[in-house]
Amino acid sequence: MKRIRINTPEGKSILLMGGTVRDILPLLPRKGLFIITDTNVRKIYGSIFPPGEVLAIEPGEKSKTLAVAGELCRQMLEAGADRTSFVLGFGGGVVCDVAGLVASIYMRGVRHAFISTTLLSQVDASIGGKTGVNLGEYKNILGTFRQPEFVLCDHEMLSTLSDEEFRSGLGELLKHGAIRDRNLFFDVAAAADRLSSRDPRILGDFIMRAVRIKAGVVKRDPLEKGLRRILNFGHTFGHVLETHYKIPHGMAVAQGMIIAAELSVWKGEMPHSELRLLQVTMEKTGLLTDYRLPAGVVNMMAKDKKSEAGSLNFVLLRMVGKAIVRKIPVTELQAFVSYYNEKQDSG
Ligand code: GLY
């Protein structure tokens, strides 16, 4: 098992890469443990849950609501949770986002940690201290920053993921390469077929490389005032595609990355040859869709967290492996969306 530390002024987090549930038992309290999970994860891993009160939500994005977080808090109160209680989120991205939020608001905050069971949460969602739920169709509008005390990434657990969930995680893995490590991007794409065998050693190496990137960025900017924005590459268009077409997060992000790369070329920030390279490489991973951007996309994006006074802080690429952030007026984005959709329509 390898350890990566994220130390920030607001809190510290230890990422335990490649360990097992047995490794984290000494880190948990003997009393007052509340395990927040989903019904699928409980079915698969219930027998190895540490001793504690289990609260299971329905799997999937529909559980990322304030009502579900409130209901979990109510169940904790009824079961006698107090300020000394400890929340362990055991699951994928939705579980970690909701459990993290519950831990940060219950009685103004209790200790928490995660056991991360999906590729998407091991490379992204469980790491870095973002918590959140959606507000209607708007993603992660309600949330907090709060570092989990530890995150266990047991790569053996990835063997139980559906193909769709697994591929969704590949999207976030590729994103880390695209924004900060050109070699990682091309290595993941070249290994995509091999990775689907779920060999924990091969996966573990790639996950480690992505998590090192994320941890390095989060340490420098834990509250997303600047640099951390690059982790949102592909997410502004991606969130709209995810909500509108009901596609898995990582696949929406993969398509969002291509659209953001098109925008980078349109803005003159990146040569067209890099866009082609990104596109051809990602096509081979089977992650791309060819959805049009839906009507109202710019209005939806303007309600995203990246929007400020009529402009959006948009993550673009200079080249594969180097992201930059530029303020783009909403009016300019409207013109780009028309250009992009016309291009899609003309095939
Ligand atoms: N998922 C982006 C971030 O954690 O900042």
Side-chain angles (χ1 to χ4, degrees):
M1 181 171 71
K2 295 198 173 109
R3 289 180 165 74
I4 299 178
R5 284 172 207 279
I6 301 184
N7 293 343
T8 75
E10 294 78 25
K12 294 179 180 177
S13 193
I14 304 181
L15 315 177
L16 303 163
M17 310 301 294
T20 67
V21 171
R22 214 174 303 153
D23 296 316
I24 54 93
L25 295 179
L27 304 176
L28 296 173
R30 282 168 198 249
K31 282 198 283 183
L33 182 68
F34 287 80
I35 301 171
I36 297 183
T37 188
D38 71 35
T39 51
N40 274 347
V41 174
R42 184 179 59 187
K43 209 180 294 163
I44 303 171
Y45 296 114
S47 60
I48 58 163
F49 280 180
E53 184 82 23
V54 177
L55 310 174
I57 60 178
E58 287 302 309
E61 196 67 22
K62 62 182 178 299
S63 285
K64 267 185 71 167
T65 64
L66 203 52
V68 168
E71 173 58 19
L72 288 166
C73 290
R74 195 189 58 75
Q75 289 175 19
M76 284 175 59
L77 190 65
E78 272 176 12
D82 61 22
R83 282 192 157 159
T84 65
S85 299
F86 190 112
V87 169
L88 179 67
F90 198 132
V94 170
V95 164
C96 293
D97 285 355
V98 175
L101 180 64
V102 166
S104 69
I105 57 177
Y106 185 77
M107 294 194 177
R108 301 207 171 90
V110 294
R111 298 171 63 195
H112 81 294
F114 297 134
I115 294 180
S116 176
T117 59
T118 64
L119 181 55
L120 193 120
S121 67
Q122 291 193 4
V123 292
D124 191 41
S126 67
I127 293 170
K130 276 188 182 176
T131 81
V133 292
N134 304 331
L135 191 58
E137 72 264 45
Y138 297 106
K139 291 219 11 131
N140 302 326
I141 293 293
L142 308 173
T144 59
F145 287 100
R146 191 177 171 92
Q147 296 295 337
E149 286 185 18
F150 67 83
V151 180
L152 169 69
C153 296
D154 176 348
H155 312 312
E156 304 263 358
M157 287 181 169
L158 305 181
S159 65
T160 56
L161 294 180
S162 69
D163 282 346
E164 189 178 79
E165 275 177 311
F166 184 77
R167 275 148 43 89
S168 179
L170 278 185
E172 288 284 0
L173 198 48
L174 286 160
K175 177 202 79 182
H176 284 89
I179 57 171
R180 213 118 166 114
D181 182 344
R182 191 175 176 90
N183 290 339
L184 176 62
F185 177 80
F186 290 110
D187 291 350
V188 173
D193 281 345
R194 244 175 342 121
L195 289 179
S196 59
S197 73
R198 319 282 174 90
D199 180 328
R201 272 165 314 164
I202 308 176
L203 277 168
D205 283 346
F206 283 112
I207 295 170
M208 189 77 180
R209 284 166 71 183
V211 168
R212 283 213 167 101
I213 292 172
K214 178 153 189 181
V217 169
V218 171
K219 267 186 228 168
R220 285 172 59 188
D221 180 20
L223 303 181
E224 199 172 300
K225 304 272 189 226
L227 176 70
R228 185 169 180 165
R229 290 183 181 137
I230 64 170
L231 298 174
N232 297 326
F233 179 55
H235 283 62
T236 311
F237 288 118
H239 279 167
V240 174
L241 296 175
E242 181 181 352
T243 307
H244 188 82
Y245 294 108
K246 312 261 176 296
I247 53 176
H249 177 74
M251 293 182 75
V253 166
Q255 187 61 35
M257 282 165 54
I258 299 293
I259 305 175
E262 292 254 14
L263 179 60
S264 311
V265 175
W266 193 77
K267 288 284 292 171
E269 297 285 359
M270 181 168 82
H272 191 264
S273 54
E274 285 291 292
L275 168 64
R276 278 304 296 153
L277 195 57
L278 185 88
Q279 198 153 22
V280 168
T281 312
M282 288 195 53
E283 265 159 17
K284 290 195 191 128
T285 66
L287 281 172
L288 297 185
T289 51
D290 56 3
Y291 289 119
R292 284 180 112 251
L293 287 166
V297 56
V298 177
N299 284 341
M300 282 191 81
M301 292 194 307
K303 292 199 174 53
D304 199 277
K305 299 172 297 307
K306 298 128 201 150
S307 133
E308 280 168 20
S311 289
L312 261 83
N313 285 309
F314 221 100
V315 189
L316 303 177
L317 292 183
R318 271 242 184 268
M319 57 186 271
V320 177
K322 181 158 177 38
I324 50 171
V325 179
R326 291 285 177 269
K327 253 192 191 352
I328 307 186
V330 165
T331 45
E332 215 175 296
L333 282 170
Q334 192 70 64
F336 169 75
V337 168
S338 307
Y339 156 83
Y340 178 81
N341 276 344
E342 270 167 34
K343 224 173 127 195
Q344 289 293 96
D345 293 344
S346 63

